[in-house]
């Protein structure tokens, strides 16, 4: 008799604990790296979007760059505060979808979900093409291969995310730190400059500043504000992916959200201060960020470090979508608005089907655009503003229902944010409608209809299955097992043995066609069957047509009609070859029979695999 003992001082707790999956989840730091790349990279085009709109009013218009940026930074603070509360109130993730589902109704929640899905998919396509565009700008010889480069980058990001969200976060920490660090160095050094140290980057490039200065009206400022709000895309990603964080999930996600808002706000305001300080003008072929790096650091290695870091981060900012969208798809699948396969989680806490679906749709968009960013940009950012607005309105209702401490101030804050993001959504959609935004206007309701269709299908399935109701007690029916045969072999013996174990009565069935060759084969089979005498009758099914599955399905229907209290099972024996390629040598008779019986009857189908090993 053996006795289980433990070492002195040891306890059962010293044994290796079961893997709960926490080590495959995010900390605040890795969450910031995995889910904030979209927002961080937006400083490369957010300030430039403001400058390009204000340039229509000449040099006077560029003077409003900083005020517009401060307004965007204020909206950023509102959004960060709001999504911090969303994280606490909805720790299962989902962001605006979860808020709308609870407080604004099912249909509104589906609009929010559709807008997020579109934004996530477009973010991947835009991020990858923009990153490759930066690469081809530095190396023009690669321009003709930009489509293949885009697909290669997308494949790399997909492969990293299939290894798990923590693995992707670790891979992207270094590029994020380099980018943020270089931008902060650019801002700090630039604040000590009284004039640009270099203008070499913009030399020889035509200015896009309007020669005819116009009055800076409210509409122009509003359009500049809406365009600059593209820098806010990705702010909601952390709230959407709260379940991906380690325990305590909500606290870690809140810390990551605050850090994201602080870093992004500092970079946006700092860059806008430098734009005003150096009186930069937008030029063709050179980004505003490149001009700022040139003016602040000089046309040296520091300039190229910032350009290279920007290129890398733009390409990798697609990772935000890979972190947030699979979680959103899981929630939609859990609520029966998407196929349940999206709720399945593989090893390493990966929603593999969501990752692969995102990669597939993004690939189609990249191929459709030919790897051109400008084709996709007009479609971008509309969905995220819709989501922002819905989330803000939902949180207003949340505070009004909860009425906790300070609820009036929180309600006013979210209400103000809802107005700002709602106006921005309208302005962006209107200004980009003719450039392709009409596709998003059409796609949103179509996606909502798709969600509704899937939900109705699951509802019907649930009603027929009696889900949620206690079923009647199981009972035993008399059973008949039918075994299709065409010859005698070990496979036939194994099939009849299995059938005898399954049912009360076993019948072998064989199909005969009228041509002489088949009749001769049937005669030989019947002689061999009589000689073997397995104790199982052989039923001959004659068919005028050269069909295999339909005669068997017709016989199943006849048995079920003549013996209504009998459960019919069709057991289909199939040999499984030793080598995978040898499956090509099989005649697929079993698949033909199974398809016909499944399509035309309600019989139970069993496919017996006999391994040839």
């Amino acid at each position: 008799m053996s006795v289980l003992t433990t070492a002195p001082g040891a306890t059962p707790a010293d044994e290796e604990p079961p893997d709960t999956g926490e080590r495959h989840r995010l900390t605040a730091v890795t969450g910031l790296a995995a889910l904030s790349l979209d927002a961080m990279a937006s400083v490369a085009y957010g300030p430039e979007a403001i400058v390009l709109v204000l340039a229509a009013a000449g040099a006077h218009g560029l003077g409003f760059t900083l005020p517009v940026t401060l307004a965007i930074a204020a909206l950023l603070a509102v959004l960060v505060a709001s999504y911090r509360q969303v994280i606490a109130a909805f720790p299962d993730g989902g962001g605006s979808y979860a808020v709308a589902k609870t407080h604004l109704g099912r249909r509104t929640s589906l609009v929010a979900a559709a807008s997020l899905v579109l934004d996530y998919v477009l973010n991947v396509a835009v991020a990858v093409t923009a990153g490759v565009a930066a690469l081809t700008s530095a190396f023009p010889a690669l321009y003709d291969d930009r489509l293949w480069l885009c697909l290669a980058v997308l494949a790399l990001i997909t492969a990293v995310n299939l290894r798990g969200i923590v693995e992707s976060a670790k891979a992207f920490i270094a590029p994020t730190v380099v980018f943020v660090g270089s931008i902060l160095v650019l801002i700090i050094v630039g604040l000590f400059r009284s004039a640009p140290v270099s203008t070499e980057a913009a030399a020889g490039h035509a200015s896009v500043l309007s020669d005819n200065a116009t009055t800076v009206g409210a509409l122009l400022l509003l359009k500049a504000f809406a365009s600059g709000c593209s820098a806010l895309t990705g702010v909601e990603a952390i709230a959407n992916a709260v379940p991906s964080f380690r325990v305590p999930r909500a606290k870690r996600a809140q810390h990551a959200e605050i850090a994201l808002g602080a870093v992004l706000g500092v970079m946006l305001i700092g860059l806008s201060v430098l734009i005003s300080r150096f009186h930069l003008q937008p030029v063709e072929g050179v980004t505003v960020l490149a001009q700022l790096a040139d003016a602040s650091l000089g046309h040296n290695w520091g300039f190229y470090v910032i350009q290279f870091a920007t290129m890398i981060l733009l390409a990798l900012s697609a990772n935000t979508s890979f972190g947030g969208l699979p979680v959103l798809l899981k929630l939609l699948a859990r609520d029966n608005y998407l196929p349940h396969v999206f709720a399945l989680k593989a090893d390493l806490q990966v929603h593999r089907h969501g990752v692969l679906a995102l990669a597939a749709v993004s690939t189609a968009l990249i191929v459709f655009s030919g790897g051109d960013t400008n084709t996709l940009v007009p479609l971008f950012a509309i969905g995220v503003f819709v989501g922002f607005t819905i989330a803000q309105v939902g949180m207003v209702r949340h505070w009004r229902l909860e009425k906790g401490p300070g609820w009036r101030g929180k309600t006013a804050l979210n209400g103000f944010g809802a107005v700002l993001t709602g106006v921005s959504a309208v302005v962006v959609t209107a200004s980009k409608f003719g450039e392709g935004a009409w596709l998003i206007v059409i796609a949103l309701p179509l996606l909502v209809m798709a969600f509704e269709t899937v939900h109705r299908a699951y509802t019907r399935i649930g009603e027929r299955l009696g889900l949620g109701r206690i079923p009647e007690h199981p009972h035993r029916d008399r059973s008949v097992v039918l075994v299709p045969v065409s010859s005698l072999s070990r496979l036939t013996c194994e099939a009849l043995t299995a059938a005898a174990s399954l049912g009360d009565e076993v019948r072998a069935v064989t199909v005969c066609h009228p041509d002489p060759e088949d009749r001769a084969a049937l005669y030989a089979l019947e002689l061999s069957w009589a000689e073997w005498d397995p104790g199982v009758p052989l039923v001959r099914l004659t068919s005028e047509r050269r069909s295999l599955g339909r005669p068997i399905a017709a016989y199943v229907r006849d048995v079920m009609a003549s013996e209504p209290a009998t459960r019919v099972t069709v057991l289909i024996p199939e040999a499984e070859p030793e080598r995978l390629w040898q499956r090509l040598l099989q005649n697929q008779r079993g698949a033909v029979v199974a398809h016909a019986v499944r399509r035309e009857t309600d019989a139970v189908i069993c496919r017996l695999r006999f391994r040839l090993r």
Side-chain angles (χ1 to χ4, degrees):
M1 177 178 179
S2 62
V3 179
L4 179 64
T5 61
T6 58
T11 66
D14 294 324
E15 298 176 4
E16 185 177 352
D19 185 7
T20 61
E22 287 299 307
R23 64 191 181 92
H24 299 303
R25 298 182 187 271
L26 300 169
T27 63
V29 174
T30 55
L32 190 65
L35 301 171
S36 70
L37 296 180
D38 179 18
M40 296 294 186
S42 65
V43 301
Y45 50 80
E48 183 163 7
I50 299 172
V51 169
L52 289 174
V53 173
L54 294 178
H60 180 57
L62 293 178
F64 288 86
T65 300
L66 183 57
V68 171
T69 304
L70 290 175
I72 293 173
L75 176 57
L76 172 63
V78 171
L79 290 173
V80 169
S82 175
Y83 277 106
R84 185 175 179 273
Q85 298 302 322
V86 170
I87 291 170
F90 300 93
D92 289 336
S96 57
Y97 168 68
V99 176
K101 178 186 171 186
T102 303
H103 296 300
L104 300 178
R106 181 177 59 84
R107 185 61 60 85
T108 305
S109 71
L110 295 182
V111 173
S115 66
L116 286 173
V117 169
L118 291 174
D119 183 66
Y120 275 137
V121 173
L122 285 166
N123 172 60
V124 173
V126 170
V128 171
T129 55
V132 171
L135 176 65
T136 55
S137 296
F139 303 98
L142 299 176
Y143 182 78
D144 291 337
D145 298 319
R146 64 189 185 281
L147 176 58
W148 296 109
L149 290 172
C150 288
L151 296 179
V153 171
L154 179 57
L156 175 63
I157 298 173
T158 303
V160 171
N161 278 275
L162 287 174
R163 292 290 305 158
I165 191 169
V166 169
E167 297 301 321
S168 69
K170 291 178 180 178
F172 299 146
I173 285 178
T176 305
V177 170
V178 171
F179 177 79
V180 173
S182 61
I183 295 297
L184 293 179
V185 168
L186 183 157
I187 293 171
I188 293 171
V189 172
L191 291 176
F192 288 95
R193 306 280 191 191
S194 57
V197 68
S198 171
T199 58
E200 184 177 342
H205 294 268
S207 173
V208 299
L209 193 68
S210 175
D211 294 330
N212 301 319
T214 60
T215 304
V216 181
L219 184 60
L220 184 66
L221 292 176
L222 195 61
K223 187 175 181 181
F225 173 82
S227 296
C229 279
S230 60
L232 303 181
T233 58
V235 172
E236 80 292 345
I238 293 175
N240 291 337
V242 178
S244 298
F245 285 82
R246 293 181 186 175
V247 175
R249 309 195 199 290
K251 287 293 183 184
R252 292 183 187 274
Q254 285 178 326
H255 293 160
E257 185 75 43
I258 293 172
L260 168 60
V263 173
L264 181 57
V266 167
M267 290 193 295
L268 287 174
I269 295 174
L271 292 176
S272 294
V273 168
L274 294 186
I275 290 173
S276 300
R277 188 181 187 88
F278 295 144
H279 304 289
L280 291 185
Q281 299 180 4
V283 298
E284 294 179 357
V286 180
T287 65
V288 169
L289 184 60
Q291 292 187 65
L292 286 175
D294 197 31
S296 180
L297 304 176
H299 206 77
N300 50 31
W301 63 269
F303 170 83
Y304 288 103
V305 166
I306 289 181
Q307 293 305 104
F308 187 74
T310 303
M311 175 193 70
I312 294 296
L313 205 71
L314 275 169
L316 298 184
S317 63
N319 195 66
T320 298
S321 296
F322 282 98
L325 182 60
V327 176
L328 176 62
L329 296 183
K330 180 201 75 172
L331 295 177
L332 287 167
R334 187 187 65 185
D335 295 337
N336 296 330
Y337 291 110
L338 279 179
H340 288 169
V341 69
F342 288 109
L344 300 180
K345 188 177 289 186
D347 296 337
L348 307 178
Q349 300 297 317
V350 178
H351 293 97
R352 183 169 297 163
H353 294 89
V355 171
L356 293 175
L358 175 58
V361 178
S362 301
T363 298
L365 282 174
I366 291 173
V367 172
F368 167 75
S369 67
D372 180 30
T373 308
N374 293 327
T375 304
L376 298 169
V377 165
L379 311 179
F380 191 43
I382 296 173
V384 73
F385 284 120
V386 174
F388 281 162
T389 305
I390 290 175
Q392 298 282 340
V393 173
M395 290 307 294
V396 168
R397 183 169 177 78
H398 175 78
W399 300 128
R400 289 175 63 86
L401 292 174
E402 188 179 81
K403 293 189 176 180
W407 70 273
R408 286 188 174 87
K410 295 175 180 177
T411 300
L413 185 66
N414 289 129
F416 180 63
V419 171
L420 289 180
T421 55
V423 169
S424 298
V426 172
V427 172
V428 170
T429 303
S431 61
K432 297 181 178 180
F433 190 83
E435 302 174 33
W438 58 271
L439 285 172
I440 301 300
V441 176
I442 294 175
L444 269 174
L446 289 178
L447 200 51
V448 171
M449 289 172 59
F451 292 155
E452 294 276 23
T453 301
V454 172
H455 190 267
R456 285 195 297 269
Y458 274 126
T459 300
R460 289 194 298 270
I461 293 171
E463 290 174 351
R464 294 176 182 177
L465 292 177
L467 296 179
R469 301 192 299 270
I470 298 177
E472 62 183 17
H473 288 287
H475 59 278
R476 177 179 173 83
D477 289 333
R478 180 179 179 276
S479 59
V480 173
V481 182
L482 307 179
V483 182
V485 298
S486 59
S487 61
L488 295 188
S489 65
R490 287 185 59 194
L491 181 60
T492 309
C493 180
E494 289 287 337
L496 295 182
T497 301
S501 304
L502 292 175
D504 300 313
E505 180 184 353
V506 179
R507 303 176 194 173
V509 296
T510 186
V511 178
C512 175
H513 302 107
D515 58 89
E517 182 180 351
D518 279 346
R519 294 181 67 85
L522 174 64
Y523 180 71
L525 175 62
E526 290 178 333
L527 286 179
S528 300
W529 195 272
E531 182 180 355
W532 182 34
D533 192 17
V536 174
L538 179 63
V539 180
R540 179 197 302 182
L541 304 178
T542 303
S543 174
E544 296 297 327
R545 298 182 178 180
R546 296 207 57 85
S547 175
L548 179 64
R550 288 184 178 179
I552 295 177
Y555 180 70
V556 171
R557 289 198 304 270
D558 291 341
V559 173
M560 297 177 75
S562 61
E563 304 177 50
T566 300
R567 184 172 296 274
V568 179
T569 299
V570 180
L571 188 145
I572 304 171
E574 296 176 297
E576 184 177 281
E578 185 176 5
R579 301 280 185 247
L580 182 63
W581 68 269
Q582 292 174 345
R583 296 184 182 182
L584 299 174
L585 307 179
Q586 294 178 294
N587 55 27
Q588 305 301 322
R589 292 166 62 95
V592 171
V593 173
H595 175 72
V597 174
R598 181 182 295 110
R599 184 182 59 188
E600 301 181 21
T601 75
D602 294 327
V604 177
I605 299 173
C606 293
R607 301 182 72 170
L608 175 67
R609 299 282 185 176
F610 181 71
R611 297 187 177 183
L612 303 176
R613 299 177 185 174

